[in-house]
Amino acid sequence: MQFSGDKHIKKEKIAFPKNFFWGAATSSHQVEGGTHNNWSEWEKKNANRLAKEAGDNWNLWQKAHFPEMFEAKNYISGKACDHFNRFSNDFSIAKKLGHNAHRFSIEWSRIEPKEGVFDKKAIEHYKQVLRDLRAKGITPFVTLWHWTNPLWLTEMGGEENRKFGRYFSRYASHVVRELGAYADFWITLNEPTSVIGSAYMKGAWPPQKKDIFSVIRVFKNLSRAHKLSYDEIHRIQPTAKVGFSNISMYIEPFHRFSPLDRIMARIVRHFANKEFLNLTHGKNDFLAVQYYFHKLAKFPRGLSDGSGITSDLGWEICPKGIYYILKKMKKYNLPVYVTENGLADADDSRRAAFIKNHLYWVHKAISEGVDVRGYFYWSLLDNFEWDKGFWPRFGLVEVDFLTMERKIRPSAWEYAKICKNNGFEMIVKNRHI
Ligand code: IFM
């Protein structure tokens, strides 16, 4: 550590462990284009409503900067980034940016468009995707379910169907039998609690329910899906590394000394961050942490955002939260990967600092014994942000959704330096980052 003239400012070398995985993440529905699933159907029915409601949901600055939120077409995933056809070019960009790993998802509705009928062409497509990554020296992390269900399953109740676990593990075993030779890291489910919260508690995502019994059912069915597929994947590929990705919020009590706020913070922490880990105990080879949110718990009002600099979506930027989350992972004694962390930042004014500041805290967790082995920025490309549509720009790479032209953002080059050097130097002022 080097100290400059000002005693409050120091330069720290942030070096990551050898063989650290550096990359970015995407998901099929958000980037591929041409998907036909529960979300694509829901979008058609809800695009007009979402465009109308935008006026009530966003602040003046957001409305002025992203007028596309008032257009119905913003809410239709359609061609997305056309990544289905342009994956090889996109992976060349990732390679140029120094990424040695990439996380993407397989679209269940392509693999199994009808119940029990598996599409050979879809498998062939993902084989090409995996071959392309490997040929470029990029290690694939494959997600099997990033929120989208085939329509036959949607008609049968989707995640609420008590056979969801069996259907999912049958699909997972088919994929791993066909593609296991090309990938070692499998993420069964992406952020199960985001779906439980947004689709079954808040009623914002398909199937738009607000029903505690559905919540309980979906917790049960998704955790069963993970456990069954964990066993299946290991049966087919004994050396596979299997986990699920967990959205983890940094939750503090609104008033530090209020016992009620503290109890509330504990309860929310438990259900948001821990419950799925508990339910899948013993069936995880690694922990996949996804961090975006700092929230304050106030009894009885609920969660509110902290103050400070925010992303374009108004999400508070709170880098040290990732440290507290990672420290909680230590007791599980498993390797940890940060499989998502990122922000919507259309003018790219905050992204480079966002990445560095979060990595500073990831590194601190590592130096205190947490076995973090990789970091995946969300996302490689600007993409379709679910019920918010295309206006939030999360990409290291800007996408023109009309021409499909890709432009590498300056922050992507900053991140590239970190990936290539396996670390960076950081000027730290009193550790206030
Ligand atoms: O875009 C999503 C992603 O699909 C899952 N994790 C959070 C991201 C940003 O909201």
Side-chain angles (χ1 to χ4, degrees):
M1 199 179 294
Q2 237 182 312
F3 290 87
S4 80
D6 181 339
K7 67 175 178 349
H8 298 298
I9 296 182
K10 59 181 188 283
K11 222 187 219 179
E12 245 181 87
K13 203 164 171 36
I14 312 291
F16 283 82
K18 232 174 125 198
N19 301 325
F20 199 78
F21 285 120
W22 293 106
T26 63
S27 90
S28 54
H29 187 69
Q30 293 176 274
V31 297
E32 281 184 355
T35 53
H36 196 43
N37 54 36
N38 57 331
W39 268 89
S40 62
E41 288 305 291
W42 183 82
E43 290 156 21
K44 283 186 222 154
K45 293 186 193 123
N46 288 275
N48 283 322
R49 173 181 65 81
L50 292 168
K52 274 194 204 124
E53 288 174 2
D56 302 328
N57 291 341
W58 304 104
N59 67 29
L60 285 176
W61 181 88
Q62 288 159 329
K63 287 189 257 191
H65 281 76
F66 307 104
E68 58 275 38
M69 66 167 70
F70 297 104
E71 293 173 36
K73 69 172 195 276
N74 171 68
Y75 302 95
I76 303 279
S77 55
K79 284 190 182 164
C81 312
D82 194 28
H83 179 72
F84 190 81
N85 298 308
R86 294 167 197 253
F87 65 86
S88 185
N89 175 53
D90 292 337
F91 297 156
S92 297
I93 297 174
K95 173 86 189 151
K96 197 153 52 171
L97 292 174
H99 299 188
N100 61 13
H102 180 72
R103 174 175 172 239
F104 73 97
S105 79
I106 289 189
E107 178 60 35
W108 187 355
S109 62
R110 290 191 197 277
I111 301 287
E112 192 180 356
K114 291 194 186 133
E115 202 223 309
V117 179
F118 295 96
D119 189 306
K120 284 205 175 85
K121 265 167 73 186
I123 287 289
E124 197 44 44
H125 170 79
Y126 289 111
K127 217 175 254 180
Q128 294 308 328
V129 168
L130 285 161
R131 281 197 186 126
D132 196 74
L133 282 170
R134 291 174 69 100
K136 291 181 165 113
I138 300 176
T139 301
F141 279 60
V142 185
T143 309
L144 290 164
W145 183 82
H146 199 117
W147 303 348
T148 50
N149 293 329
L151 289 174
W152 58 265
L153 180 56
T154 310
E155 277 155 26
M156 291 162 68
E159 301 90 13
E160 283 200 85
N161 187 311
R162 68 190 167 78
K163 288 194 195 148
F164 181 90
R166 271 198 262 154
Y167 292 130
F168 178 75
S169 72
R170 180 177 65 182
Y171 148 72
S173 61
H174 181 78
V175 170
V176 175
R177 237 180 283 119
E178 296 287 340
L179 303 177
Y182 304 93
D184 299 317
F185 293 95
W186 299 96
I187 293 173
T188 55
L189 307 174
N190 180 69
E191 295 179 11
T193 50
S194 296
V195 171
I196 292 167
S198 295
Y200 294 95
M201 282 171 77
K202 285 190 214 144
W205 294 355
Q208 288 188 273
K209 293 203 169 171
K210 288 183 185 179
D211 176 0
I212 188 66
F213 296 107
S214 301
V215 168
I216 297 167
R217 258 196 300 277
V218 176
F219 251 117
K220 198 168 146 209
N221 292 345
L222 290 181
S223 55
R224 185 150 184 263
H226 173 79
K227 290 186 281 188
L228 287 175
S229 56
Y230 177 92
D231 290 339
E232 257 314 273
I233 296 172
H234 276 290
R235 198 177 55 72
I236 299 161
Q237 190 186 354
T239 55
K241 305 273 176 258
V242 185
F244 75 93
S245 63
N246 202 16
I247 185 99
S248 304
M249 292 196 271
Y250 173 43
I251 300 163
E252 293 184 289
F254 191 89
H255 291 297
R256 248 201 312 158
F257 300 110
S258 152
L260 288 175
D261 290 0
R262 292 173 82 95
I263 292 172
M264 178 146 181
R266 276 189 146 222
I267 294 173
V268 182
R269 245 182 250 135
H270 177 86
F271 285 102
N273 299 350
K274 272 201 226 154
E275 179 62 357
F276 210 84
L277 275 172
N278 293 347
L279 290 171
T280 58
H281 178 74
K283 304 272 181 196
N284 287 298
D285 302 323
F286 60 86
L287 303 175
V289 168
Q290 314 205 149
Y291 172 68
Y292 293 90
F293 299 110
H294 174 216
K295 297 277 178 191
L296 302 172
K298 181 157 177 49
F299 183 84
R301 210 178 58 198
L303 296 184
S304 61
D305 292 314
S307 55
I309 302 175
T310 64
S311 73
D312 291 347
L313 278 163
W315 300 355
E316 185 200 348
I317 299 174
C318 178
K320 71 168 187 264
I322 201 167
Y323 163 77
Y324 292 111
I325 299 285
L326 290 172
K327 288 285 284 195
K328 296 266 180 222
M329 300 295 116
K330 200 171 163 187
K331 64 168 185 270
Y332 295 97
N333 221 359
L334 289 170
V336 181
Y337 298 92
V338 176
T339 43
E340 281 185 31
N341 173 231
L343 85 168
D345 179 23
D347 68 6
D348 205 36
S349 58
R350 288 146 288 174
R351 188 172 285 104
F354 175 101
I355 295 175
K356 271 195 184 162
N357 291 339
H358 281 79
L359 285 172
Y360 170 86
W361 288 103
V362 171
H363 180 263
K364 185 165 162 58
I366 296 174
S367 69
E368 293 173 16
V370 187
D371 186 10
V372 186
R373 300 187 182 182
Y375 175 87
F376 296 78
Y377 176 80
W378 179 271
S379 171
L380 178 63
L381 306 168
D382 285 341
N383 61 52
F384 182 73
E385 178 60 16
W386 307 107
D387 59 338
K388 299 174 186 67
F390 286 107
W391 70 263
R393 301 283 185 149
F394 277 89
L396 291 170
V397 178
E398 182 185 339
V399 176
D400 178 326
F401 293 112
L402 284 176
T403 62
M404 294 298 161
E405 192 197 343
R406 272 69 168 149
K407 260 194 219 147
I408 299 176
R409 292 199 163 99
S411 59
W413 292 115
E414 289 300 312
Y415 179 47
K417 280 188 224 156
I418 300 174
C419 302
K420 289 174 189 167
N421 296 326
N422 202 33
F424 58 101
E425 270 195 350
M426 178 124 177
I427 310 278
V428 186
K429 284 187 198 164
N430 280 334
R431 294 183 181 267
H432 287 319
I433 57 171

